[in-house]
Amino acid sequence: MSEATTGACTIVLATPHRRHDTLEARLRERQALNVIRVRRPEELDPERLAQHAPRYVFLPHWSWKVPAAVYEKFECVVFHMTDVPFGRGGSPLQNLIARGIENTQLTALRCVAELDAGPVYLKRPLSTLGTAEEVLLRAATLIEQMIVEIVAHRPMPVPQTGEVVTFKRRTRQDGNLASAKT
């Protein structure tokens, strides 16, 4: 019997978003994982995490820099809404929509010092069509599946290949459509 089915596997789910409450509950119930929830940057503390000895620290839609003391001590998995190395950086969904890209990959990658540059565990297709909330809810479903797969199979992440394209974090002004002609 694997750790995932016996409940012996402890993971950290680091996300402030209420839309991930269901993800947390489903991981606890369906997969019998011991899930430690982190909602604020100050809770992502290596000493606090060490008390739980997590196998993985999963960071879906985490908007803050992960301290080196955390990703160097724990296996941290970031979820990014592009087919890295294309689209590393901030505001991936907004940048994809602004570029007219309707299909992307949701990527699970290892957290490293350089933003979104770590090796890749898994990629899954994701449509950017619909409202942002619809896309984010579809992504949450994929994130659950990816977490289950990573915990169950412990894949070795592989280095990214291809041309690096970096997105800049978009601001409120970038979304101002008052002067748009089309």
Side-chain angles (χ1 to χ4, degrees), residues 42-114:
E42 60 271 17
E43 295 174 345
L44 199 63
D45 173 73
E47 289 78 27
R48 180 177 187 262
L49 296 178
Q51 294 173 359
H52 302 288
R55 174 64 181 93
Y56 293 100
V57 177
F58 292 106
L59 299 122
H61 300 111
W62 188 256
S63 299
W64 300 278
K65 187 173 181 174
V66 177
V70 172
Y71 67 75
E72 289 171 356
K73 185 169 185 170
F74 303 99
E75 192 162 353
C76 296
V77 181
V78 176
F79 295 89
H80 191 70
M81 222 179 265
T82 70
D83 191 4
V84 295
F86 175 81
R88 291 180 184 175
S91 310
L93 179 58
Q94 297 85 340
N95 276 295
L96 290 168
I97 291 168
R99 288 169 170 77
I101 297 172
E102 295 179 353
N103 293 291
T104 188
Q105 295 286 319
L106 180 64
T107 302
L109 62 139
R110 180 103 190 232
C111 184
V112 297
E114 186 180 350

Side-chain angles (χ1 to χ4, degrees), residues 11-182:
I11 66 168
V12 170
L13 185 65
T15 176
H17 304 289
R18 295 188 72 206
R19 70 177 165 269
H20 291 135
D21 292 351
T22 301
L23 168 63
E24 176 186 4
R26 288 175 57 91
L27 288 170
R28 283 180 195 278
E29 293 169 12
R30 208 173 96 196
Q31 297 305 316
L33 294 171
N34 180 23
V35 180
I36 308 301
R37 180 76 179 262
V38 170
R39 296 176 188 268
R40 297 185 310 270
E42 60 271 17
E43 295 174 345
L44 199 63
D45 173 73
E47 289 78 27
R48 180 177 187 262
L49 296 178
Q51 294 173 359
H52 302 288
R55 174 64 181 93
Y56 293 100
V57 177
F58 292 106
L59 299 122
H61 300 111
W62 188 256
S63 299
W64 300 278
K65 187 173 181 174
V66 177
V70 172
Y71 67 75
E72 289 171 356
K73 185 169 185 170
F74 303 99
E75 192 162 353
C76 296
V77 181
V78 176
F79 295 89
H80 191 70
M81 222 179 265
T82 70
D83 191 4
V84 295
F86 175 81
R88 291 180 184 175
S91 310
L93 179 58
Q94 297 85 340
N95 276 295
L96 290 168
I97 291 168
R99 288 169 170 77
I101 297 172
E102 295 179 353
N103 293 291
T104 188
Q105 295 286 319
L106 180 64
T107 302
L109 62 139
R110 180 103 190 232
C111 184
V112 297
E114 186 180 350
L115 189 63
D116 302 324
V120 174
Y121 293 93
L122 303 168
K123 292 184 180 185
R124 296 293 180 262
L126 177 67
S127 169
T128 64
L129 296 176
T131 66
E133 188 63 21
E134 290 169 342
V135 175
L136 292 168
L137 289 172
R138 281 197 303 274
T141 299
L142 285 175
I143 288 167
E144 178 184 351
Q145 295 167 5
M146 295 168 90
I147 288 172
V148 168
E149 186 170 342
I150 290 169
V151 169
H153 301 291
R154 297 184 179 184
M156 291 299 300
V158 296
Q160 296 179 25
T161 59
E163 180 182 349
V164 175
V165 175
T166 304
F167 289 168
K168 292 185 180 173
R169 184 173 295 279
R170 294 178 61 88
T171 65
R172 287 191 185 274
Q173 189 57 33
D174 293 327
N176 185 348
L177 301 177
S179 63
K181 303 266 189 275
T182 63

